[in-house]
Amino acid sequence: SAVPSAARTGTPTIYASPWVCDFDTDECSFHAVDGFSSWLRNSGGTETYNTGPDYDHTSGAGYYMYVESSNNYPSVTLMMESPGLATMGI
C-alpha cells in the first residue's frame, strides 16, 4: 500500500515493499529527471524501425518505457526516477 512521503515536498509516493512494477497498468510513478526527455509507455514495437524493442521483456505482450531515439540525443544521458521504496522490516 502507498504511504505518503514525508521526506520532501513534491516527491513521488513512497511504496511499501515488496513493490512490483511492469508498466502494464501505468508509469508506476516513475518520472523523468533529465528535464527535457519525452519518455513513452509502449507495447509492441517502436514507431521508428530498429530504434527499440519489439516487445516487453516480461511477457512479450506487456508495456515498457522508452525514449524515441530518432530524436537524436547524442552524448545525452536520459534518466527516469522511481518512487521511493520503504525498506524497513525487509
Side-chain angles (χ1 to χ4, degrees):
S1 65
V3 178
S5 172
R8 293 179 284 168
T9 303
T11 60
T13 302
I14 294 181
Y15 291 89
S17 296
W19 178 67
V20 176
C21 174
D22 57 14
F23 300 119
D24 287 351
T25 303
D26 57 23
E27 290 82 11
C28 308
S29 296
F30 277 74
H31 63 278
V33 293
D34 48 49
F36 69 94
S37 65
S38 299
W39 286 91
L40 303 169
R41 183 175 158 266
N42 193 48
S43 179
T46 59
E47 289 183 27
T48 308
Y49 175 74
N50 210 23
T51 62
D54 293 326
Y55 50 85
D56 80 307
H57 76 282
T58 53
S59 69
Y63 287 79
Y64 57 89
M65 300 297 294
Y66 81 106
V67 172
E68 179 59 53
S69 64
S70 62
N71 294 331
N72 195 15
Y73 295 115
S75 303
V76 174
T77 301
L78 302 173
M79 296 181 290
M80 289 186 76
E81 184 174 73
S82 70
L85 301 176
T87 58
M88 293 178 61
I90 294 179

